[in-house]
């Protein structure tokens, strides 16, 4: 089997070893063999980016626009092929895989436009005869560490703005799902990117991460992943001899509030989608269901009925609503939390069983707990699986307090027909993104993404707000 290589300095470079990429829907299916880089490859990638940066930083914005547009066009033209690859390696359904690839293409298209829209400002000085210009410049070499749950969209929303604003990139995708990132790198390479501007190093974080975090030539680090690793990234960034700009997107435990006046059908669908689709493997998943007394029993009954309709099967099989968990480790974690919930005294009203299908894979029946307390582990900790907890509350005021009672603050939602409560919730929810009568997990590519508290740190990702992380501001004074 051909080994997919790392991309360093404009060349596909072999590594000392490789690892198989396994399909979680069918563990006998090897998606491909992918090279694993080590310290030497990471250092070579940084050196290549350093050599390329002076010219790329001063390149014509239209050159960057054309390259990013070629990437966008190619991604969108191949969305079915790439979506199938994504579904094979990560386990989300084919429809979700194609949707994620489409989003990646749209992101590159958006930031192609941003490359030629980068603006500055001119001020009148407080001193006579002096002009003041404020401009934005690229920060330099950006190291990127991306997770396994969105293997093409998250690399896209980091790579595209970095290149648009004139930075050079060294990206390490999740070792568990390198295929989509490799395919994206191949498209970028073919789009005419100058040598060294973009570099892909695949492999283990323990082998590559330390180099990216500590190297003096890396100016900024963009990380998406777990809270524990994110804290280590932040500490390394600020304690390095040359301090680095850092951007962290970490965990979530998003609440969905359902009030007595909610449209029951809307509330049930929002909960099912937000908590269980894509196997609950989304940092924005709405797995804390905060439900007022008057609708509680009807909501639980409706949600259980909806869960019974969900088809859990091979991600590529027509009619599948939910694919497998990504791997054995994640499946074990989900099952462990289900056992913890039962031990804590929550009532498992549906699901939570390991499932067998035609092919051997990591299949799990979505689980719903009721009679949950605010201090339970299944309520407070991110499980990252299709496990939801219902918390019964008295009224809106208690619902808001429970929703905000979390170390996380990424996304939140409310189902209500009350304009008063919807407006108040949008203003007072301690989350970076708020949804009204929508699942907590849906986001657009052209607006800011990020949260508060333990969920995010540093400037927002996506949309025009990405300029805050990928550029630095320069103030120039001129005697007129």
């Amino acid at each position: 089997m051909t080994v997919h290589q790392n991309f360093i300095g404009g060349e596909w470079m072999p590594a000392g070893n490789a690892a198989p990429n396994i399909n979680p829907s069918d563990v006998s299916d090897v998606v491909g063999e992918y090279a694993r880089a080590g310290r030497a490859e990471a250092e070579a990638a940084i050196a290549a980016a350093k050599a390329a940066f002076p010219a790329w930083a001063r390149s014509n914005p239209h050159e960057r626009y054309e390259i990013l547009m070629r990437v966008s066009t190619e991604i969108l033209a191949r969305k079915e092929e790439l979506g199938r690859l994504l579904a094979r390696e990560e386990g989300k359904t084919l429809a979700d895989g194609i949707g994620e690839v489409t989003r990646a293409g749209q992101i590159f298209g958006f930031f192609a436009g941003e490359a030629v829209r980068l603006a500055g400002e001119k001020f009148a000085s407080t001193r006579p005869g002096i002009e003041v210009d404020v401009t934005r410049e690229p920060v330099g070499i950006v190291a990127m560490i991306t997770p396994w749950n969105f293997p093409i969209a998250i690399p896209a929303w980091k790579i595209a703005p970095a290149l648009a604003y004139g930075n050079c990139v060294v990206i390490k995708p999740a070792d568990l799902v390198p295929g989509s990132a490799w395919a994206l790198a191949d498209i970028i390479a073919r789009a005419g990117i100058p040598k060294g501007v973009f570099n892909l190093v695949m492999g283990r974080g323990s082998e590559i991460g330390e180099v990216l975090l500590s190297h003096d030539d890396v100016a900024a680090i963009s990380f998406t992943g777990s809270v524990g690793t994110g804290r280590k990234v932040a500490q390394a960034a600020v304690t390095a001899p040359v301090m680095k700009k850092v951007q962290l997107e970490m965990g979530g435990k998003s609440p969905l509030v359902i009030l007595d006046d909610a449209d029951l059908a809307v509330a049930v669908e929002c909960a099912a989608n937000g908590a269980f689709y894509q196997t609950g493997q989304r940092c924005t998943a709405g797995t804390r269901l905060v439900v007022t007394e008057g609708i509680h029993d009807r909501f639980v009954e409706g949600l259980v009925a909806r869960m019974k309709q969900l088809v859990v099967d091979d991600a590529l099989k027509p009619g599948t609503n939910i694919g497998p968990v990504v791997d054995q480790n994640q499946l074990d974690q989900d099952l462990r939390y289900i056992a913890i919930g039962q031990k804590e005294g929550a009532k498992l009203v549906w699901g939570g069983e390991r499932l067998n299908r035609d092919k051997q894979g990591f299949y799990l029946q979505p689980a719903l707990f009721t009679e949950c307390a605010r201090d339970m582990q299944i309520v407070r900790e991110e499980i990252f699986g299709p496990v939801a907890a219902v918390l019964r509350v008295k009224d809106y005021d208690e619902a808001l307090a429970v929703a905000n009672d979390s170390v996380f603050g990424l996304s939140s939602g409310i189902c209500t027909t009350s304009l008063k409560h919807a407006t108040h919730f949008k203003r007072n929810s301690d989350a970076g993104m708020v949804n009204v009568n929508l699942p907590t997990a849906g986001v657009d590519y052209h607006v800011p993404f990020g949260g508060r508290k333990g969920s995010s740190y540093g400037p927002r990702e996506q949309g025009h707000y990405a300029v805050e992380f990928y550029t630095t501001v320069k103030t120039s004074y001129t005697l007129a």
Side-chain angles (χ1 to χ4, degrees):
M1 184 176 289
T2 301
V3 175
H4 296 76
Q5 298 177 332
N6 294 293
F7 187 69
I8 300 172
E11 304 290 338
W12 293 105
M13 305 291 290
N17 58 70
N21 185 2
I22 303 298
N23 180 351
S25 292
D26 176 7
V27 296
S28 67
D29 175 29
V30 178
V31 179
E33 293 278 340
Y34 290 83
R36 276 182 168 166
R39 185 179 187 91
E41 288 84 4
E43 290 178 344
I46 294 169
K50 181 180 180 180
F53 178 67
W56 182 247
R58 290 163 178 76
S59 60
N60 188 300
H62 190 71
E63 177 188 356
R64 302 197 295 273
Y65 164 85
E66 288 188 327
I67 290 172
L68 293 180
M69 279 305 300
R70 285 196 289 270
V71 173
S72 173
T73 301
E74 182 71 9
I75 292 172
L76 295 175
R78 295 170 55 189
K79 62 183 180 182
E80 284 82 10
E81 169 207 340
L82 296 172
R84 180 171 289 273
L85 167 64
L86 195 158
R88 279 181 72 200
E89 74 167 352
E90 196 274 345
K92 63 183 63 176
T93 65
L94 180 58
D96 285 333
I98 293 172
E100 182 179 333
V101 170
T102 300
R103 180 175 171 183
Q106 293 167 337
I107 289 168
F108 272 91
F110 175 85
F111 282 106
E114 289 294 279
V116 294
R117 282 193 292 263
L118 186 62
E121 297 175 286
K122 181 175 284 291
F123 291 89
S125 174
T126 57
R127 296 171 289 171
I130 295 175
E131 294 180 349
V132 183
D133 295 295
V134 178
T135 54
R136 288 189 175 273
E137 298 180 354
V139 295
I141 299 170
V142 183
M144 301 171 179
I145 302 172
T146 59
W148 52 259
N149 61 326
F150 285 89
I152 195 167
I154 292 180
W157 83 46
K158 295 180 187 295
I159 296 167
L163 297 181
Y165 299 131
N167 300 281
C168 290
V169 168
V170 179
I171 183 168
K172 192 211 85 65
D175 188 40
L176 189 60
V177 288
S180 294
W182 187 94
L184 178 57
D186 184 53
I187 290 172
I188 293 171
R190 294 173 186 272
I193 198 79
K195 291 183 178 182
V197 170
F198 171 83
N199 303 272
L200 171 76
V201 285
M202 301 176 290
R204 297 184 182 277
S206 57
E207 293 287 328
I208 304 170
E210 191 274 331
V211 178
L212 301 182
L213 297 180
S214 63
H215 202 291
D216 287 349
D217 291 329
V218 172
I221 303 165
S222 182
F223 168 86
T224 301
S226 69
V227 175
T229 304
R231 291 184 183 279
K232 293 177 182 178
V233 170
Q235 184 176 24
V238 299
T239 58
V242 179
M243 294 176 67
K244 306 175 191 311
K245 204 170 185 179
V246 65
Q247 176 186 65
L248 307 176
E249 290 296 342
M250 299 173 287
K253 191 72 175 179
S254 300
L256 177 67
V257 171
I258 295 108
L259 299 184
D260 288 350
D261 62 13
D263 182 312
L264 183 60
V266 170
V268 166
E269 198 57 37
C270 286
N273 184 308
F276 306 128
Y277 275 60
Q278 297 189 26
T279 327
Q281 295 174 155
R282 300 180 286 192
C283 54
T284 52
T287 54
R288 286 192 295 140
L289 306 175
V290 185
V291 188
T292 50
E293 291 178 332
I295 200 173
H296 178 277
D297 293 351
R298 289 182 292 129
F299 169 77
V300 171
E301 181 182 359
L303 182 54
V304 169
R306 182 71 181 93
M307 293 172 70
K308 291 178 179 178
Q309 297 172 346
L310 297 174
V311 177
V312 181
D313 210 327
D314 189 320
L316 297 176
K317 190 173 182 178
T320 295
N321 300 122
I322 300 172
V325 172
V326 72
D327 70 352
Q328 186 66 52
N329 289 335
Q330 186 62 48
L331 178 61
D332 290 343
Q333 177 170 301
D334 294 346
L335 292 171
R336 184 168 65 252
Y337 270 104
I338 290 169
I340 288 171
Q342 293 173 301
K343 185 177 180 180
E344 288 179 316
K347 182 179 179 181
L348 181 61
V349 295
W350 176 255
E353 297 293 326
R354 173 75 187 268
L355 299 174
N356 294 316
R357 291 295 180 257
D358 293 339
K359 300 171 183 176
Q360 184 181 351
F362 308 112
Y363 297 105
L364 178 65
Q365 191 178 43
L368 181 68
F369 283 96
T370 60
E371 301 177 20
C372 299
R374 291 165 68 169
D375 61 349
M376 290 180 174
Q377 281 183 258
I378 60 168
V379 172
R380 303 204 68 82
E381 298 176 10
E382 184 178 39
I383 300 172
F384 223 64
V387 182
V390 178
L391 296 107
R392 187 196 297 259
V393 294
K394 180 177 62 175
D395 54 21
Y396 169 75
D397 290 336
E398 185 181 1
L400 177 63
V402 171
N404 286 339
D405 182 18
S406 175
V407 297
F408 298 109
L410 183 55
S411 184
S412 68
I414 186 169
C415 292
T416 180
T417 55
S418 165
L419 179 61
K420 172 187 174 182
H421 286 139
T423 302
H424 189 272
F425 187 80
K426 286 193 291 184
R427 176 63 183 85
N428 292 281
S429 173
D430 292 343
M433 299 175 289
V434 182
N435 302 269
V436 179
N437 295 320
L438 291 166
T440 60
V443 297
D444 289 345
Y445 66 86
H446 67 301
V447 293
F449 178 95
R452 302 177 180 180
K453 298 189 281 190
S455 289
S456 303
Y457 180 81
R460 288 288 192 262
E461 297 198 270
Q462 297 201 98
H464 178 68
Y465 284 76
V467 75
E468 298 296 334
F469 179 72
Y470 291 102
T471 66
T472 185
V473 171
K474 176 180 285 185
T475 305
S476 302
Y477 298 89
T478 304
L479 180 63

